[in-house]
C-alpha cells in the first residue's frame, strides 16, 4: 500500500502530471458522409460544429488506441510505471474480459490492477474520480487514467442522427499522489446519474437484456440510438448545475474561471453551458470541429490539445464538466500545473 510522505497532516491528493493523446490517422469529412446521408456539410457545421472526425480501420480496436495514448501520457509524466490503470470506455474490445488488463500488459506495467469503467461521455471524469479515491486511500501512488473509444464500431453509418457526430480516439492522464492545494490537484467532484432516462442514449441489443434478439434484431437496434432533443436539454441543465456546484466547492465565482473544459458533444451545447455559467467564449477551448464527439476520450483529448496549443497555462483555474449516456454527469476543478508537456 502506498503512503504519502506527509501522512500525519492530510491524505494525499491526486495531481495531474502527464497527458497523452492518440487519434487514428484516417479522417472522414462531412462531404464524405453526405454522399450517403440525407444531410449537408453546412447543416453539420451549423448544428453540431464538426468538420471532420477520425475513424479507426477495422483492424484497430479501442485497446490499440488506449495503449498509444497511455504510452504518451506516461512519457509526458516522465515515468514508466503505474500502480493501477482505469480505462473509461463504452466500446471495449470484447464484452469479456475488460480491455484495461491487456492495455496494462502491452504498456509493460506488470501485474497491476486494471479495469474498465463505463459512464458514457462522462467516463473520463468518473475514472479520474475513482483514481483520486485510490490515491487518497493510499491504495495507489500513481494511476494511469485513459479515455478511449472506437465509436465507429457501434454507429450505424446510415443514421444521420449519429453518424455525423461521433469519432474515434483516445486520451490519457497520469495522476500521482501529491499535497492538497498543489497545482494540478483535482478539486471536489460533483457527479450523478438519472437512470430513469437511460433510454435516451442506448444500444438496445447486444447485452444481457435483449440477448434473445441479438441475431434477429433490426440493424438499428444493434447500434447507438439517441433521442437528440432530450439529450441536449438534459445535457445543458445537468452540466450547468454540476459545474456551478464544483466551482462553488472550489470557492470560484464565474469571473475566476480561466478555462472551461466542456465535453465535446455539440458546439451548441458547449456554448449554452458557457453562457449559463457566465464564462465568455474566449475562455472555452474546443476541438470538436476536428475530432467530433469522442465520448469518454473527449475531455483528455481536449486537455491535451489545449495544453499543447498554449490555451492552458500554469496558474489557470480550470473547470471541467461532462455529460453522457446513463444518463451520467460529472464536474471538477484544478489549477493548471507548470512544467506539464503533453504528447499528442
Amino acid at each position: 500500500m502506498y503512503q504519502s510522505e506527509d501522512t500525519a497532516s492530510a491524505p494525499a491528493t491526486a495531481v495531474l502530471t502527464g497527458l497523452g493523446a492518440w487519434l487514428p490517422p484516417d479522417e472522414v469529412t462531412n462531404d464524405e458522409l453526405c454522399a450517403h446521408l440525407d444531410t449537408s456539410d453546412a447543416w453539420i457545421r451549423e448544428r453540431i460544429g464538426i468538420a471532420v472526425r477520425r475513424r479507426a480501420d477495422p483492424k484497430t480496436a479501442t485497446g490499440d488506441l488506449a495503449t498509444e495514448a497511455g504510452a504518451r501520457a506516461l512519457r509526458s509524466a516522465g515515468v514508466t510505471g503505474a500502480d493501477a490503470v482505469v480505462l473509461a470506455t463504452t466500446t471495449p474490445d470484447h464484452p469479456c474480459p475488460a480491455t484495461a488488463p491487456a492495455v496494462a500488459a502491452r504498456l509493460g506495467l506488470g501485474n497491476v490492477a486494471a479495469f474498465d469503467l463505463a459512464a458514457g461521455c462522462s467516463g473520463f471524469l468518473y475514472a479520474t474520480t475513482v483514481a483520486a479515491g485510490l490515491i487518497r486511500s493510499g491504495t495507489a501512488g500513481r494511476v494511469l487514467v485513459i479515455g478511449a473509444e472506437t465509436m465507429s464500431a457501434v454507429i450505424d453509418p446510415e443514421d444521420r442522427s449519429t453518424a455525423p457526430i461521433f469519432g474515434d480516439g483516445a486520451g490519457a492522464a497520469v495522476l500521482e499522489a501529491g499535497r492538497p492545494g498543489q497545482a494540478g490537484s483535482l478539486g471536489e467532484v460533483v457527479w450523478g446519474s438519472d437512470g430513469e432516462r437511460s433510454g435516451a442514449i442506448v444500444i438496445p441489443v447486444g447485452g444481457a437484456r435483449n440477448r434473445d434478439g441479438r441475431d434477429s434484431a433490426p440493424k438499428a437496434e444493434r447500434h447507438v440510438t439517441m433521442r437528440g432533443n432530450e439529450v441536449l436539454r438534459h445535457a445543458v441543465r445537468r452540466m450547468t448545475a454540476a459545474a456551478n456546484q464544483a466551482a462553488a466547492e472550489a470557492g470560484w465565482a464565474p469571473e475566476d474561471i480561466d478555462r472551461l473544459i466542456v465535453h465535446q458533444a455539440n458546439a451548441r451545447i458547449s456554448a449554452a453551458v458557457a453562457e449559463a455559467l457566465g464564462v465568455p467564449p474566449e475562455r472555452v477551448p474546443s476541438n470538436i470541429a476536428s475530432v467530433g464527439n469522442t465520448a469518454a476520450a473527449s475531455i483528455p483529448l481536449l486537455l491535451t490539445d489545449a495544453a499543447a496549443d498554449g490555451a492552458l497555462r500554469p496558474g489557470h483555474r480550470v473547470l471541467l464538466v461532462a455529460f453522457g449516456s446513463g444518463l451520467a454527469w460529472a464536474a471538477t476543478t484544478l489549477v493548471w500545473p507548470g512544467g506539464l508537456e503533453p504528447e499528442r
Side-chain angles (χ1 to χ4, degrees):
M1 177 180 291
Y2 174 87
Q3 291 186 333
S4 67
E5 295 179 359
D6 192 17
T7 54
S9 59
T13 188
V15 176
L16 177 66
T17 61
L19 278 172
W22 176 256
L23 291 168
D26 293 339
E27 290 185 345
V28 177
T29 66
N30 290 343
D31 287 337
E32 290 177 79
L33 287 176
C34 296
H36 60 272
L37 289 176
D38 181 21
T39 187
S40 67
D41 172 68
W43 188 92
I44 296 171
R45 289 175 184 266
E46 178 184 348
R47 300 283 294 183
I48 309 171
I50 299 172
V52 297
R53 71 286 295 147
R54 300 297 183 95
R55 290 283 189 267
D57 65 69
K59 294 183 179 180
T60 301
T62 296
D64 302 316
L65 304 179
T67 300
E68 294 285 356
R72 283 159 176 72
L74 291 169
R75 287 198 294 267
S76 169
V79 299
T80 57
D83 301 312
V85 177
V86 186
L87 171 60
T89 186
T90 51
T91 56
D93 288 0
H94 308 282
C96 177
T99 303
V103 171
R106 292 172 64 180
L107 290 170
L109 299 179
N111 301 131
V112 301
F115 56 93
D116 294 358
L117 185 154
C121 301
S122 298
F124 181 78
L125 291 186
Y126 267 63
T128 58
T129 302
V130 171
L134 294 174
I135 289 171
R136 175 175 285 272
S137 69
T139 302
R142 182 184 301 131
V143 182
L144 176 60
V145 181
I146 307 172
E149 302 283 12
T150 311
M151 293 300 296
S152 57
V154 295
I155 295 300
D156 180 356
E158 305 300 324
D159 182 0
R160 70 185 297 269
S161 68
T162 58
I165 296 174
F166 292 99
D168 301 338
V174 175
L175 299 178
E176 300 191 50
R179 301 181 306 277
Q182 179 179 346
S185 60
L186 295 180
E188 295 295 323
V189 176
V190 177
W191 56 350
S193 67
D194 182 0
E196 292 185 357
R197 293 180 171 84
S198 60
I201 308 172
V202 65
I203 302 176
V205 170
R209 174 63 60 190
N210 293 319
R211 57 188 180 273
D212 290 342
R214 192 174 298 164
D215 298 325
S216 60
K219 178 182 177 182
E221 294 187 11
R222 289 178 270 130
H223 296 91
V224 169
T225 63
M226 183 168 62
R227 300 197 291 263
N229 289 336
E230 181 179 352
V231 171
L232 187 151
R233 183 173 67 255
H234 285 280
V236 173
R237 181 167 68 88
R238 296 294 192 180
M239 281 199 285
T240 300
N244 267 323
Q245 188 176 342
E249 293 282 355
W252 298 351
E255 60 269 21
D256 297 326
I257 300 167
D258 295 306
R259 294 294 182 266
L260 174 64
I261 301 294
V262 185
H263 160 58
Q264 301 292 281
N266 180 304
R268 292 189 303 154
I269 291 176
S270 297
V273 172
E275 182 179 6
L277 292 171
V279 179
E282 63 268 20
R283 298 186 182 183
V284 189
S286 176
N287 64 355
I288 191 171
S290 59
V291 301
N293 179 346
T294 54
S298 169
I299 293 288
L301 280 172
L302 181 55
L303 286 175
T304 302
D305 280 348
D309 294 340
L312 284 170
R313 297 191 295 273
H316 271 166
R317 288 160 292 197
V318 184
L319 175 59
L320 305 95
V321 63
F323 176 92
S325 61
L327 297 172
W329 55 88
T332 192
T333 59
L334 79 155
V335 175
W336 199 253
L340 195 161
E341 296 291 339
E343 183 175 338
R344 63 175 176 176

